Amino acid sequence: MGAGMIRTLGQAARAIGGTLIGPDAPLEGPIVTDSRQAAPGSLFVAVAGERTDGHAHLASAAARGAVGALVSDLDAARQGLGGQEAGPRGGSEPPLGLILVSDTVEALGALARTHLAHLRAAARDRGSDLSVVAMTGSVGKTTTKDLTRQLLAAAGPTVAPRASFNNEIGLPLTVLEADESTRYLVLEMGASGPGHIAYLTGIAPLDAAAVLMIGHAHMGGFGSIEGVARAKAEILDGLGPHGTALLNADDPRTAALADRAPGAVLTFSRLGPADIRAQGVELGQGARASFDLTLPGLEGTRRVTLAVAGEHNVSNALAAAGLALAAGVPAGLIADELGQVGIESPHRMDIQALGGDLLLIDDSYNANIDSMTAALAALPDLAAHRRRVVIVSEMLELGDSSQADHRRTGELAHQAGAALLIGIGGGTEPALQAAGALGTPTLGFPDAATAIDQIGTLLQDGDAVLVKGSNGSGAWRLADHLKEARPR
């Protein structure tokens, strides 16, 4: 590591203004918030969450080799260590070094901020670069993150979030995975209220930032679509003076943010004029889109066929190409790789052939009306001649638009040719009513467990089954059950 890098508990404590209690030790393992992921040399961050308090798991982290922990409550830490003394009042020394702070989540962010600043300084000293890119939007963040990671990895060592690590805990954990070999750092930035993205860019100032779409996600936390727009625009404020903003020209609210960008702006579109374009879009086998790619720096156009399904993923692919271009990847390499990259995170348009010739379309990680619309639009091409079964769980955090958005879901399921619409949770009742009124058979279950118990009697061999819903409402549990119950 270069000069100024954080290599010990003592250095970490000083960097974040904490107090080290107990032994100092080298930090040689991962920084984790889950004690089960601790390893020799780890720093465990004790987060007090809704379900459990990390302080209660200090002994578990220590048993797995953690050498230190970020804590905010000494009494809780002492109890978590099985009653061993964890303070300066005498008694035995704790089995791992404790860094006492007022707020462990804020301390985690401060540690990541310092770490990234040191990495950038070390890169400059070597005459190298560390490019940090990020994306936000109501739809497509994680897919775009996966595609961007692969494009950048083709050009150099790249670090990106696992799954959907896009909040005040997941983002700093991702930053802390980078080291001096990292050439590109990809970050996903989510928000469920104003100020959330500004906090994240305060940890990781950006070289390139993409706004994918301003839609109806987490409406309950923003109050209005205008509130969503203001919150997503915070990512542009996190750009450095030479940073590049990448904006979706097909979404008027996103395109209107161009004046907010501090520097260069790139636009992308699958519908009209833009810097990065997809023209002549055609859907082929498996609903995979082919198009003529226009990309600055590329001679002429290049015909690309995506590996990911769904026409909506054309926009995500263009955004990934733009972020890679802004990070310095040659246009020719981007064009060569764009048709090879795929979705890496679970429950995102994961299409699998299961036993009994069942085609499962698992898009169950999260949902709002925009992503629901995209998934149902892709269903006819994916299902082809198969009987279509749509399983939806409740879309959460929609605020006042919840009933209308669920009604629209029922209408869209009917338009997609669903032979059966299954709803999980009481919030899906408007969807079932709307689809039923149009003639689509429907069935509702109070929860995922009940649906899992009965789903085997409702599906037929050869069906195409789309599973979609918010993470917290459990559709993913049914998708996982089908994968286990019908192994290929």
Side-chain angles (χ1 to χ4, degrees), residues 238-250:
L239 284 165
H242 302 294
T244 300
L246 184 69
L247 302 176
N248 183 358
D250 296 335

Side-chain angles (χ1 to χ4, degrees), residues 119 390 426:
L119 287 179
V390 176

Side-chain angles (χ1 to χ4, degrees), residues 178-202:
D179 60 26
E180 286 189 298
S181 71
T182 304
R183 174 66 181 82
Y184 304 104
L185 176 60
V186 182
L187 300 172
E188 180 182 334
M189 294 188 173
S192 53
H196 292 184
I197 291 177
Y199 176 79
L200 299 178
T201 61

Side-chain angles (χ1 to χ4, degrees), residues 223-237:
S224 67
I225 193 71
E226 291 76 20
V228 176
R230 287 191 295 270
K232 301 302 183 184
E234 292 171 9
I235 198 171
L236 304 182
D237 299 334

Side-chain angles (χ1 to χ4, degrees), residues 102 165 221 299:
S102 60
F165 272 29
E299 292 187 10

